[in-house]
Amino acid sequence: QKEVEQDPGPLSVPEGAIVSLNCTYSNSAFQYFMWYRQYSRKGPELLMYTYSSGNKEDGRFTAQVDKSSKYISLFIRDSQPSDSATYLCAINTGGFKTIFGAGTRLFVKA
Amino acid sequence: EPEVTQTPSHQVTQMGQEVILRCVPISNHLYFYWYRQILGQKVEFLVSFYNNEISEKSEIFDDQFSVERPDGSNFTLKIRSTKLEDSAMYFCASSEVGVGDTEAFFGQGTRLTVV
């Protein structure tokens, strides 16, 4: 079983739609949950970072963690064409190694 | 805004040659990392470095790889004898404390092409 699983997409939505991106993980020891955005041929950029179960909101972005189900989500409200990118979930046990999901490619059509 | 800078942006090398990829982490950061991303695949952890020593490394980081902080600002990744399968984007990252406690900032990457 893979440590982190993420549907690679692509996911195509119209501008203004609510986007839901998801990952599952296998190890209950994972403690820190991140979402990164990566534009083509660029480095990952941290969007959201959460530690506990529940929701965390930052502008149009909401990160949700359900530790009982080992399920993490990122919601994007009022999606914009500039949100078109690959979204990577990432998980850390509290040590130095971060494990990334495969990334979901998102296209937001104007 | 402070950022992690990497040089060169693109490096082409012949198989068997040594390459050194360079990074300047954010100045007050103490933890440094190298990741790689083979085209079309996921970002993979290679190594973390703190207090002038490796704190954790993955199974990918074998004897062909080494890291160094030669001075107070640079952080390098050396590949001793490159193979075709080393072709990838290599990302340097840094964080104020260990990733579990705070965010890691990534550089723009060096594209390594081994021919």
Side-chain angles (χ1 to χ4, degrees), chain B residues 5 14 23 37 39 46 48 58 61-63 66 68 74 76 85 92-95 97 99 102 109 112:
Chain B
T5 56
Q14 289 201 323
C23 170
Q37 186 175 31
L39 186 64
L46 291 178
S48 60
S58 72
F61 194 87
D62 61 22
D63 292 343
S66 62
E68 192 179 30
N74 290 284
T76 62
E85 55 265 37
C92 173
S94 68
S95 64
V97 294
V99 171
T102 191
L112 176 65

Side-chain angles (χ1 to χ4, degrees), chain B residues 55-66:
Chain B
S55 44
E56 191 166 354
K57 62 181 181 179
S58 72
E59 58 277 5
I60 302 168
F61 194 87
D62 61 22
D63 292 343
Q64 293 298 310
F65 292 89
S66 62

Side-chain angles (χ1 to χ4, degrees), chain B residues 89-108:
Chain B
M89 282 288 284
Y90 287 81
F91 294 107
C92 173
S94 68
S95 64
E96 232 177 309
V97 294
V99 171
D101 294 320
T102 191
E103 63 186 287
F105 290 84
F106 281 73
Q108 294 302 295

Side-chain angles (χ1 to χ4, degrees), chain A residues 18-82:
Chain A
I18 296 174
V19 175
S20 172
L21 305 166
N22 309 293
C23 284
T24 58
Y25 62 95
S26 58
N27 189 342
S28 57
F30 291 145
Q31 298 182 37
Y32 300 89
F33 307 94
M34 289 80 77
W35 284 94
Y36 284 84
R37 177 174 61 196
Q38 187 177 28
Y39 293 110
S40 181
R41 297 177 184 262
K42 300 290 185 185
E45 171 196 8
L46 184 70
L47 283 176
M48 301 286 287
Y49 162 69
T50 56
Y51 171 70
S52 57
S53 280
N55 293 354
K56 182 177 181 179
E57 196 171 310
D58 184 1
R60 295 185 296 112
F61 298 92
T62 300
Q64 190 173 79
V65 175
D66 182 348
K67 287 188 174 182
S68 61
S69 304
K70 301 192 189 72
Y71 195 86
I72 63 172
S73 302
L74 178 70
F75 299 96
I76 307 174
R77 287 183 299 281
D78 188 24
S79 55
Q80 303 296 309
S82 57

